[in-house]
Amino acid sequence: MELASTNSNMIRQFCLILLLLSAARPSFSQTSAYPFKLETEYLVNPIGLDQPSPRFTWQMADQRQGARQTAYRIVMDTDSLGLSKPHGQLWNTGWVKSDRNLVQFSGPALKPFTRYYWRVDLADQKGKQSKSVQAASFETGMMNMENWKGSWISDSENIRMKPAPYFRKVVETHKKIRSARAYIAAAGLYELSVNGAKIGNHRMDPMYTRFDRRTLYVTYDVTTSLVNGKNAIGVLLGNGWYNHQSTAVWDFDRAPWRNRPAFCLDLRITYEDGTVETITSGKDWKTALSPIVFNSIYTAEHYDARLEKTGWNTAAFDDSAWKNVINRSAPSDHIVAQALHPIRNVEEIAAKSLKKFNDTTYVFDLGRNISGVSEITVKGAAGTVLRLKHAERLYPNGRADLSNIDVHYRPTDNQDPFQTDILTLSGKGEETFMPHFNYKGFQYVEVTSSVPVELNKTSLVGYFMHSDVPVTGNVNSSEPLINKIWSATNNSYLSNFFGYPTDCPQREKNGWTGDAQIAIETGLYNFDGITVYEKWLADHRDEQQPNGVLPSIIPTDGWGYEWGNGPDWTSTIAIIPWNIYLFYGDQRLLADCYLNIKKYVDHIDEGYPTGLTSWGLGDWVPVKSKSPVELTSTCYYYADALILAKTAKILGKKADFEKYTALARKIKDAFNAKYLHKETGIYGDGVQTELSVPLYWGIVPDEYKARVAQSLAKRVEADGFHLDVGLLGTKAILNALSENGYADIAYKVAAQKTYPSWGWWMENGATTLYENWPIDAKSDISMNHIMFGEIGAWLYKGIAGIKPDPASPGFKNVILEPHFVKGLDHFEARHMGPYGNILSSWTRKSNSVSYQVEIPANATASVILPAEQNLKVYLDGKLITGAAKQLPSGTYTFEWK
């Protein structure tokens, strides 16, 4: 679906969002409230929804302390003017006494191809009623497979054919158009154009799925693109993951769905007289090969500008030499709407520097590592061949070094170089090239030319490309290193968000489940990612075997069911829906995945009846100490069983709640019987991962938590306050320390500047997170990985202390437990939750601490106050006692002095 763009860097984008939200709020006094930020399915005025029961959300604008919603009313109609009628709307909930701001539609069945308008009215704590000034809207799409009219078409079934195909059709309209929508589904990737112009600013549509089980379609508003008279519709198809022609260790070239790309399109035009005409894909379309002579989502794109067909997507173009298309079967029988934030070129990045080696060799440096594409503008003779090699690092001689990212590529010849676009010039003046169906991970672009060309620093720009999810968080501190780590973590997170979470944007682009479960909280504190995660968990449901087993990468062509999966990785099926519930207060994903979680947990129980499981990869890429796989995997198994029990309770499944509560208890008892040395408070051999993982996942008996935490603190001190963990230990260690009385030690570890640490990377110029602690590692050294990204979430939890409350999720009640750690003078974190902006900000001065809190309207907060030696605590100037305070919405200042 087509959505409004949000583009800027992360901090600027967050500030912009705050300004936009402020602007979106109607002016109101301190004595009034107002609903705003109305969204449908977590999107702003989306079109092309298939959801029969869409969710409506809103926020309450009210600056008064104690502001809360006591009732709401939703009114919906197909006519925006109808929302103001006293009665007779399509759906009117009437006044409902509730403080909820998430309501699922339960009115009459929605019709396809229909725009609906809705508004929400609310009553504040004094019963005063108000309504949203502007109505929100959403538009349904196909709703049902039977509503498609077009045929699936392609130019061949030759999977080895390399050039990307063009398709076109000319249609005529002679009546005044009221609205027009294009609905397009594709096996592969596509770009849609009307009358010579690309429609929308999405990249890489549709999102990657298991093509033979679920195919996505996108809806575009093309009303203003059509003219009275002849109109040309053009489609360009790319391979994507559907026709993977590059060869690598994951065998995507052998995918069971593989075929030449195809598409199906319906262009539905509604005229002013009320009549409807649908123009469809079919045998009357024409096709020809494009100048894209090769395209691979894994490696790069090759473009021969001499083959350009100028005006190919305009009505005046002569297509008499073009071929007829062929019909094809649909890739799956489950074609559904793509209802998520799309991939875009979010940020343009100018080259920071240019090094010229000679007249045919140049290296551009963007100054930071990104996912995305480069765009070059150049002038040269026809037939000049430019090779644009994209790299994360340079050899000592200044040339591009791909040796850290091409390790899993298995080329069969030299025709498809890794991360290297190949451009052949037409010779027709200045030419600009940017790939259509590819993205890469890079900081440097080495341009080599077959003959001399003249380039300058402005000849090439980079585009940071990723799922364009709105920013919801911001961190700022008095320590520049912490700010760098937070920024680098977010850069890596976004670099690995392309309609599904990936591990790296260069050598793999795989949806590794382990990386994603580690980074879920980092993602949700900083970005509004629910739409992407809901899509990805649907991918999980598509991939799960009947016995409950999931692959280690999702989506997959079949690779990953035999290696890399297990509770420590594929617990995503439970951990991600649970975190979505905590952050959004929304049960839908838990309900959608409930049977899948159950099948998964049951499978482990059947295979490992003792309660201990050794299934998994273990603490991947550790610094030096190796922990038993059984220890870490059993902790994740316990977490899964506990999440399943809690979900059963939430969904009212009493028998399952009792069954899986008992299973979790069995796992816990078996684990502690084997691994806990009660007399010493040590698990296993007492290395960092063995101590922190049980603490973090809550498998340590309450009476031993203090001793185990003390053992962990001593171990970290013995390790020089440096990390000695791998992937799984990284998720746990900072949290295990800060949640158990050792926040100062956690911060000391987080702020280290020497090896091994996050700061060591930053000190050596990193702008993203790496895949391995040593920067000179010989393998596993992608320089843009999110697997060690939990620190981004810990900054919110372990220093600012912002946490969702499981008993009142979605930040309905915010837990605020700040830690005024030694080494920092100031720390501020903001998170835009479902109810609005949450602020936790503290500043230390010589012998005092000031702590500012903002709790959004219609929410509350449990503030857990840290003790500062010999200092008294004041709340808004009044002396208070006690270690905790329950506060209604509003802005507050605590002082220790």
Side-chain angles (χ1 to χ4, degrees):
M1 61 192 57
E2 189 67 15
L3 302 163
S5 178
T6 57
N7 24 333
S8 70
N9 64 47
M10 285 174 294
I11 296 176
R12 278 178 47 223
Q13 190 181 12
F14 183 77
C15 295
L16 176 61
I17 286 173
L18 290 178
L19 289 171
L20 289 175
L21 288 178
S22 299
R25 302 184 191 196
S27 59
F28 60 91
S29 69
Q30 288 292 106
T31 60
S32 64
Y34 228 95
F36 76 113
K37 200 176 181 287
L38 279 62
E39 294 183 344
T40 308
E41 288 293 292
Y42 299 98
L43 299 168
V44 177
N45 299 334
I47 64 174
L49 292 181
D50 279 351
Q51 175 56 246
S53 302
R55 292 160 291 183
F56 301 132
T57 57
W58 62 90
Q59 291 181 6
M60 178 181 180
D62 193 334
Q63 296 173 338
R64 294 171 291 173
Q65 286 192 349
R68 60 188 175 90
Q69 173 189 302
T70 57
Y72 72 82
R73 175 177 62 186
I74 297 175
V75 179
M76 192 176 93
D77 204 351
T78 54
D79 182 356
S80 59
L81 297 177
L83 299 183
S84 301
K85 293 186 296 187
H87 52 77
Q89 293 92 357
L90 177 71
W91 187 51
N92 188 327
T93 63
W95 281 99
V96 179
K97 292 184 178 180
S98 172
D99 58 1
R100 296 181 61 197
N101 70 343
L102 164 61
V103 176
Q104 184 170 295
F105 172 74
S106 60
L110 301 179
K111 298 177 181 179
F113 315 121
T114 304
R115 172 160 291 210
Y116 295 92
Y117 298 87
W118 66 278
R119 78 157 201 269
V120 61
D121 307 334
L122 59 81
D124 67 11
Q125 64 273 18
K126 296 182 178 180
K128 185 176 180 180
Q129 298 175 359
S130 61
K131 63 182 180 181
S132 46
V133 172
Q134 289 186 323
S137 69
F138 68 95
E139 188 173 295
T140 52
M142 290 288 172
M143 298 292 288
N144 191 305
M145 284 279 292
E146 295 175 357
N147 290 318
W148 283 95
K149 296 183 182 298
S151 299
W152 281 84
I153 60 173
S154 185
D155 64 338
S156 77
E157 292 191 284
N158 183 358
I159 61 174
R160 293 176 178 81
M161 184 180 291
K162 292 184 177 181
Y166 279 148
F167 300 85
R168 60 176 267 118
K169 176 183 172 67
V170 175
V171 299
E172 288 195 54
T173 60
H174 298 291
K175 293 190 291 185
K176 190 172 182 181
I177 296 172
R178 179 190 302 166
S179 66
R181 302 288 184 263
Y183 306 90
I184 180 168
L189 299 171
Y190 69 85
E191 287 186 357
L192 171 68
S193 59
V194 175
N195 292 327
K198 180 187 171 185
I199 299 298
N201 60 4
H202 297 194
R203 304 296 312 276
M204 314 296 286
D205 272 340
M207 300 298 107
Y208 176 29
T209 59
R210 176 66 189 252
F211 295 101
D212 53 355
R213 295 177 184 169
R214 184 164 48 97
T215 309
L216 302 181
Y217 77 89
V218 184
T219 304
Y220 300 93
D221 182 349
V222 295
T223 307
T224 58
S225 299
L226 297 174
V227 298
N228 192 19
K230 290 185 177 181
N231 292 271
I233 312 165
V235 173
L236 170 65
L237 288 185
N239 289 321
W241 294 101
Y242 182 69
N243 185 33
H244 206 277
Q245 294 178 317
S246 300
T247 46
V249 297
W250 302 281
D251 296 330
F252 281 106
D253 59 310
R254 302 179 187 176
W257 60 68
R258 187 178 171 193
N259 206 334
R260 178 78 166 161
F263 76 98
C264 181
L265 178 140
D266 281 5
L267 174 58
R268 194 171 190 272
I269 303 172
T270 302
Y271 295 104
E272 286 287 356
D273 63 7
T275 60
V276 175
E277 179 183 9
T278 302
I279 295 151
T280 66
S281 52
K283 291 297 291 287
D284 54 348
W285 284 58
K286 304 294 287 291
T287 183
L289 299 179
S290 76
I292 301 173
V293 293
F294 176 79
N295 70 100
S296 168
I297 195 169
Y298 183 62
T299 56
E301 191 164 299
H302 307 168
Y303 188 89
D304 189 341
R306 297 171 302 177
L307 304 177
E308 287 178 342
K309 298 173 173 59
T310 304
W312 72 273
N313 49 6
T314 63
F317 183 79
D318 180 6
D319 62 11
S320 58
W322 286 35
K323 298 191 322 179
N324 294 324
V325 300
I326 64 168
N327 281 335
R328 281 265 300 278
S329 59
S332 75
D333 60 2
H334 191 42
I335 301 171
V336 296
Q338 179 173 296
L340 69 158
H341 290 98
I343 298 166
R344 292 190 175 100
N345 285 354
V346 177
E347 182 182 355
E348 181 180 313
I349 302 171
K352 184 178 180 181
S353 66
L354 170 64
K355 182 175 182 179
K356 180 178 180 179
F357 289 84
N358 51 54
D359 288 342
T360 61
T361 308
Y362 301 79
V363 172
F364 293 83
D365 179 3
L366 297 184
R368 54 186 279 208
N369 199 333
I370 65 168
S371 62
V373 293
S374 63
E375 181 181 73
I376 190 168
T377 300
V378 61
K379 186 176 182 180
T384 301
V385 178
L386 279 73
R387 299 166 71 91
L388 289 77
K389 182 185 295 185
H390 297 73
E392 290 190 319
R393 64 187 189 184
L394 302 176
Y395 286 115
N397 65 3
R399 301 287 295 271
D401 176 7
L402 298 180
S403 62
N404 67 315
I405 52 175
D406 65 0
V407 292
H408 297 304
Y409 185 33
R410 301 291 184 267
T412 57
D413 55 37
N414 62 356
Q415 301 303 303
D416 180 17
F418 193 69
Q419 288 214 150
T420 303
D421 292 327
I422 300 176
L423 169 63
T424 303
L425 299 182
S426 68
K428 298 177 181 178
E430 194 170 74
E431 303 178 52
T432 297
F433 167 75
M434 180 180 70
H436 300 75
F437 301 122
N438 172 267
Y439 74 96
K440 308 166 189 73
F442 67 102
Q443 175 174 338
Y444 306 97
V445 184
E446 177 182 297
V447 180
T448 56
S449 176
S450 59
V451 297
V453 293
E454 187 62 39
L455 299 176
N456 58 51
K457 201 170 88 167
T458 64
S459 298
L460 184 139
V461 297
Y463 286 99
F464 191 12
M465 200 169 134
H466 53 77
S467 288
D468 196 7
V469 286
V471 173
T472 57
N474 189 54
V475 163
N476 187 40
S477 80
S478 57
E479 172 51 64
L481 178 66
I482 292 296
N483 299 334
K484 286 182 180 179
I485 292 172
W486 174 75
S487 178
T489 302
N490 283 355
N491 282 335
S492 279
Y493 179 82
L494 290 174
S495 293
N496 288 289
F497 218 47
F498 277 77
Y500 65 108
T502 68
D503 62 327
C504 57
Q506 1 73 3
R507 73 181 201 186
E508 296 193 33
K509 301 182 174 77
N510 279 322
W512 279 99
T513 49
D515 302 55
Q517 63 91 354
I518 295 293
I520 179 63
E521 291 173 275
T522 289
L524 294 181
Y525 273 113
N526 288 292
F527 304 100
D528 181 11
I530 184 173
T531 60
V532 177
Y533 283 115
E534 287 188 332
K535 176 265 175 191
W536 194 49
L537 267 293
D539 296 331
H540 277 62
R541 298 192 295 272
D542 287 344
E543 299 284 14
Q544 189 173 37
Q545 299 280 24
N547 65 358
V549 173
L550 289 156
S552 51
I553 59 172
I554 297 174
T556 182
D557 63 329
W559 192 95
Y561 287 102
E562 300 295 331
W563 189 87
N565 54 349
D568 48 359
W569 255 244
T570 43
S571 285
T572 44
I573 191 63
I575 290 172
I576 288 182
W578 182 251
N579 275 280
I580 293 293
Y581 171 70
L582 291 179
F583 275 75
Y584 289 86
D586 192 329
Q587 299 179 15
R588 178 177 285 178
L589 192 56
L590 278 175
D592 287 347
C593 294
Y594 180 75
L595 293 178
N596 305 87
I597 303 170
K598 188 174 177 180
K599 285 166 65 177
Y600 187 66
V601 169
D602 286 348
H603 176 77
I604 305 173
D605 187 27
E606 291 165 4
Y608 299 91
T610 65
L612 300 173
T613 177
S614 57
W615 183 27
L617 276 182
D619 199 24
W620 190 250
V621 196
V623 175
K624 59 180 187 290
S625 300
K626 294 184 178 181
S627 303
V629 172
E630 185 181 73
L631 185 148
T632 50
S633 284
T634 299
C635 287
Y636 274 91
Y637 177 30
Y638 172 73
D640 293 342
L642 204 58
I643 288 171
L644 181 54
K646 292 175 181 177
T647 303
K649 185 175 183 180
I650 291 167
L651 300 179
K653 301 177 185 294
K654 184 179 179 182
D656 278 358
F657 168 67
E658 294 172 352
K659 174 182 176 180
Y660 293 107
T661 298
L663 175 61
R665 190 180 305 114
K666 181 180 84 168
I667 298 166
K668 184 175 185 176
D669 291 346
F671 178 83
N672 287 303
K674 179 168 183 178
Y675 286 104
L676 175 60
H677 303 292
K678 296 181 179 179
E679 63 282 1
T680 59
I682 287 176
Y683 281 91
D685 293 328
V687 299
Q688 290 183 21
T689 293
E690 290 175 321
L691 295 169
S692 61
V693 169
L695 277 169
Y696 177 73
W697 291 110
I699 204 169
V700 180
D702 290 345
E703 63 270 28
Y704 290 96
K705 283 183 180 178
R707 294 185 67 184
V708 175
Q710 184 183 50
S711 297
L712 175 61
K714 288 180 178 178
R715 181 68 195 213
V716 170
E717 183 178 6
D719 290 327
F721 300 100
H722 282 79
L723 294 164
D724 181 23
V725 292
L727 174 65
L728 306 180
T730 310
K731 177 71 177 178
I733 188 166
L734 298 181
N735 297 292
L737 288 166
S738 61
E739 290 170 3
N740 291 282
Y742 297 96
D744 285 342
I745 291 179
Y747 176 71
K748 199 168 184 178
V749 172
Q752 280 287 356
K753 295 183 179 180
T754 55
Y755 171 83
S757 65
W758 293 278
W760 171 242
W761 295 336
M762 303 303 114
E763 290 293 292
N764 282 274
T767 58
T768 46
L769 303 187
Y770 292 174
E771 186 190 11
N772 211 330
W773 297 112
I775 58 176
D776 58 351
K778 300 304 179 187
S779 64
D780 299 315
I781 190 56
S782 152
M783 298 170 73
N784 195 347
H785 246 69
I786 192 54
M787 60 188 269
F788 292 129
E790 166 62 16
I791 190 170
W794 177 79
L795 294 173
Y796 289 88
K797 296 182 288 182
I799 303 183
I802 300 173
K803 303 175 186 177
D805 183 351
S808 189
F811 295 98
K812 177 65 174 170
N813 183 63
V814 185
I815 296 175
L816 293 173
E817 189 177 7
H819 292 112
F820 308 150
V821 294
K822 295 175 183 177
L824 277 182
D825 295 325
H826 172 69
F827 191 87
E828 176 178 302
R830 291 180 180 270
H831 173 66
M832 183 65 68
Y835 292 87
N837 187 50
I838 301 162
L839 169 68
S840 177
S841 176
W842 57 265
T843 301
R844 186 194 302 277
K845 296 181 180 177
S846 58
N847 198 33
S848 66
V849 178
S850 177
Y851 177 48
Q852 279 74 45
V853 169
E854 184 178 333
I855 308 159
N858 203 27
T860 58
S862 300
V863 185
I864 302 169
L865 303 170
E868 290 288 302
Q869 191 172 13
N870 301 323
L871 298 181
K872 295 179 180 180
V873 185
Y874 297 81
L875 172 57
D876 291 340
K878 296 179 180 179
L879 181 66
I880 61 172
T881 58
K885 198 75 176 175
Q886 188 68 26
L887 297 176
S889 65
T891 302
Y892 303 88
T893 299
F894 292 87
E895 292 180 284
W896 283 254
K897 58 185 179 180

